[in-house]
Every structure is written in C-alpha cells, then in structure tokens.
Amino acid sequence: MALGRRRLLIGFGGAGGLALAGCGLREPAPPKPAMIRFDPPPGTRDVDARSPGTVTVDDGTLRSVEWIDETGRPLPGAPAPDQRTWTSSEPLGYGHTYTAKVVAHGETGDVTTTATCTTVQPQQLIDVSLRSANLVELAENDTYGVGFVIVAYFDQPVDRAAAERHLKVTTQPAVTGAWYWLDDQNAHWRPEHYYAPGTRITIAAELFGRALGEGRYGLRDQRVSVIIGPAHVAIADDNTKQIDVFDNGNLVRTMPTSMGKGGTAAVGGRYLSFWTRPGIYTVLDRNDPVIMDSASYGLPTNAGGYRTSINHAVRISHDGIFVHELAATMWAQGNTNVSHGCLNISPDDAAWFYDFVIPGDVVEVRNTGGEPLDFWQNGDWSISWSDWLLGGAYT
C-alpha cells in the first residue's frame, strides 16, 4: 500500500510539472503596422484657418510627409526629433483644399496613407485699424498723454461680441479698462481713471481666422505697444477764465483765456452753438499754422464767420475746438468770452503750450454753458465709468 501511494504521488507531480512547463510557452506577438493619424481628421470641412496641420504616428516613425494645397504649394512644416509627429509651421489659412500623403515605417514595413480636408471660406475679410483718439494709426513705442484712448476701427460692420472677444489690452502696471462701442465699426477702450506716467499699453487684435458675423472673418492679427508720458493736465475754468497747466501734479503755468461767447444761431437750416462745451477733452494734434474756416461747421464768412491762418493751434475736438493764440483778443483773455468756441490765449502762452503737449494730454473745461461735450466730439472721458461699462459688447 505504501509503495502504491508513493507511485501515485510521483505520477501527480510529473503531470503537474508537465502542465507548468506548458504554461511558460509564449507565441511571439505579431508585428505591428505603423498607425498614422491626421489633425484635422480626413474629410473634415470648414477647418479653422488658425489651425496647423499635424501628423502623428503610433508604433512607427515618419518617412515622409507631403501636405499640398489646391495650387500644388506644399505646406511648410517639420517633424519632431523622435520622428513620430509632424507639424506645419504656418496655419492652414482660408479657402484651401489640402491633400496629405504620409509614409511611415513600422514593424511590418512602410505604410502609406492619404487624407484630404478643406478650410473655411469667408464671404468677406475684415481688417481693423488700431488708432488713438486723433484717428492716427498707432506705431510701436509711440508716447501718449495720460488721457490716451484706444480706437479700434473696423472697415466693415462686425458682431460686437465676437470682435471684442479677440481685442485684448494689457497694461504694465495693470489697470482695469473696458471697451465702449460707438457703432458696429468703432470701439474705444480706456480705464476708469487717467493712466499713471510710464504705463506701457499693449493692444492685440487676434482676428485672423475669427468669425465676426454673417460669414465675415478677420484678415490678420495685429499687436502694438505704446507708452504713457508725463501727466500733463490743463484745467480751463470759466469762473476764473484761466487755464492752469499741471505737469505731474505740479502747477507750471497759468494762462488767461477767452472761451466761447455762448448762445446759438440757426444758419442755413443748421443749429450752431458758440459755447465751449464743458467736459474732459484730450489733445488730438497740433498745427503751426492751421487754416481755420468757420464754413467747415456751417458758418459762412458773410454770416459772421471767418477764414484765417492761426499759429500754434492745439486741436482738442473733432468738430474744430482748439487752444490757440489770438493776439486780437488779448484784451478779453482772463475776463470776457468772445470766441466762437475755441480757447484763445496769448501768442507767448500758445507757443509754450504748443511745445508742452502731446496727443492724449488732458484738457478739462469747467463751468461753461451749453450742452456737455459729446462722445463723438472727443468726449470719451466725459462719460461716467458706470455708463462707459454699459457700452461694452457683453452688457
């Protein structure tokens, strides 16, 4: 009995050993072919024009990539160092039909795959001009006054929210600002308070490839930075008929002035005001000399108007209000308002002020009669901050 039991145990052990030996055997894994993936995927239509073209290989490496548009032009690009991805060096752009042919090498050898895609075709391309309040294009590192206002002018109407989403303003030091839309082509940006001297402002219009409404798309991206100069603020007070000029908070000059004589007139069916409207203006530009012609705003010379050459003229409104020299009214400067709306000052004061100011400097007019300065006249800063915020695309 003992011998039989021992043989039985040996038999089980032998069988178990054979079974374990059998479990240790592995069939070799079949070779894997290279797998090629495209982005955008094959057959995609209306692809975002900002997108790059990319190729990715799983279980292999790239041999070659040809990404060709409808004209036969190859899309430039380069593979990554590991030869597993390829990315175009420029976006796919508008209105293209691309055919991509890729060869990749895997364990089964070379694999060739082709794919096509088409990019969005705009009905119209829209450009934007980035300007200051004087409607002059911004240039890199230009210097402006503390009342600087950004103007984004679109050459066609746009969806305001879509456009504003891609108009980005950053400042150093940081300030809170907002866009205010005059209409579907004009948006202005300013902070709640005047900038600090030395602030750098960067405006980026990232519009290329962006839908702007009704089949319209942005033509290009733009980026420009400007700098804020010293804090020049002039305060013209009709109670004193003086203009106090401050440089970084310090009073540096007081200039007697004669402002608008007041009243209104109807000339040729047009309503004219002779007030210097109260509000916060900014310097738009300077001319020496400038031809002033009252007929330009509806007052001909035969109805009490004028056409004359004026030296050292600083324009502060879009409808022709200047701070300028006028020796003929020096008798009135400091005591009587006799102008049609401009701020008359002496030749010496005008020459000094002309050299002192730059575009964006502030001219505050206080205690005069007439209607407040309007937005279209250069009255961005005359709008309260709460009302300014209501002019944004998202309100």
Side-chain angles (χ1 to χ4, degrees):
M1 290 293 294
L3 180 60
R5 182 179 179 187
R6 182 181 176 191
R7 288 175 177 170
L8 181 63
L9 290 173
I10 291 172
F12 281 137
L18 288 174
L20 290 173
C23 289
L25 297 177
R26 293 285 187 271
E27 290 290 332
K32 294 181 178 180
M35 300 295 293
I36 299 171
R37 291 183 284 117
F38 296 88
D39 189 13
T44 305
R45 302 179 63 83
D46 294 330
V47 174
D48 184 346
R50 296 180 73 92
S51 300
T54 63
V55 178
T56 304
V57 178
D58 297 323
D59 301 319
T61 56
L62 289 166
R63 291 283 200 194
S64 64
V65 176
E66 294 179 349
W67 200 301
I68 309 296
D69 72 10
E70 70 285 351
T71 69
R73 174 183 177 270
L75 185 69
D82 64 4
Q83 298 294 314
R84 292 183 181 274
T85 60
W86 180 96
T87 306
S88 67
S89 56
E90 64 183 45
L92 295 176
Y94 291 122
H96 291 299
T97 298
Y98 287 103
T99 300
K101 179 181 178 181
V102 177
V103 179
H105 182 75
E107 294 177 357
T108 61
D110 287 351
V111 174
T112 300
T113 304
T114 60
T116 61
C117 68
T118 59
T119 60
V120 66
Q121 176 65 62
Q123 294 182 21
Q124 188 174 27
L125 292 176
I126 295 180
D127 200 9
V128 65
S129 174
L130 301 177
R131 307 172 174 179
S132 66
N134 62 10
L135 307 185
V136 174
E137 291 266 356
L138 302 178
E140 188 70 17
N141 292 324
D142 273 351
T143 300
Y144 289 91
V146 296
F148 169 70
V149 173
I150 301 167
V151 175
Y153 169 71
F154 294 87
D155 59 9
Q156 296 291 330
V158 295
D159 178 288
R160 298 183 188 187
E164 186 175 315
R165 192 176 300 118
H166 303 295
L167 295 174
K168 299 178 181 179
V169 180
T170 55
T171 65
Q172 297 176 323
V175 299
T176 299
W179 290 98
Y180 184 101
W181 288 81
L182 179 61
D183 53 37
D184 289 344
Q185 290 182 248
N186 292 275
H188 293 200
W189 192 96
R190 71 163 176 88
E192 181 177 4
H193 305 291
Y194 302 145
Y195 300 95
T199 299
R200 176 172 286 275
I201 305 161
T202 300
I203 308 99
E206 299 174 350
L207 298 180
F208 174 75
R210 306 302 191 188
L212 300 178
E214 298 183 359
R216 300 184 176 105
Y217 285 77
L219 174 66
R220 56 177 173 151
D221 290 346
Q222 296 180 69
R223 183 184 179 90
V224 63
S225 294
V226 299
I227 301 168
I228 299 300
H232 293 169
V233 177
I235 299 176
D237 191 336
D238 197 28
N239 287 343
T240 62
K241 294 179 174 54
Q242 306 286 329
I243 303 175
D244 290 332
V245 184
F246 296 86
D247 184 2
N248 290 324
N250 300 310
L251 180 64
V252 292
R253 198 174 185 97
T254 297
M255 306 182 300
T257 186
S258 177
M259 292 187 272
K261 61 186 178 182
T264 59
V267 180
R270 186 173 180 179
Y271 171 83
L272 303 178
S273 171
F274 301 121
W275 294 101
T276 304
R277 290 192 177 200
I280 301 174
Y281 300 71
T282 58
V283 171
L284 297 177
D285 55 39
R286 306 174 304 158
N287 301 97
D288 183 31
V290 64
I291 301 298
M292 293 192 178
D293 187 352
S294 62
S296 64
Y297 63 86
L299 184 64
T301 55
N302 61 7
Y306 53 84
R307 190 178 191 278
T308 185
S309 177
I310 297 293
N311 296 325
H312 297 123
V314 175
R315 186 165 65 100
I316 61 173
S317 84
H318 293 297
D319 59 339
I321 301 299
F322 289 78
V323 180
H324 66 80
E325 74 168 57
L326 195 60
T329 65
M330 285 182 65
W331 65 270
Q333 293 166 20
N335 60 81
T336 307
N337 290 331
V338 297
S339 85
H340 290 83
C342 290
L343 294 87
N344 297 170
I345 54 179
S346 72
D348 285 347
D349 284 339
W352 177 87
F353 192 65
Y354 182 92
D355 291 336
F356 179 74
V357 298
I358 61 173
D361 283 349
V362 174
V363 179
E364 298 185 18
V365 175
R366 300 177 178 177
N367 299 314
T368 57
E371 296 294 322
L373 180 66
D374 208 340
F375 181 88
W376 66 268
Q377 294 170 302
N378 189 29
D380 296 82
W381 289 97
S382 293
I383 299 175
S384 70
W385 184 242
S386 59
D387 287 341
W388 185 271
L389 293 176
L390 294 175
Y394 296 103
T395 56

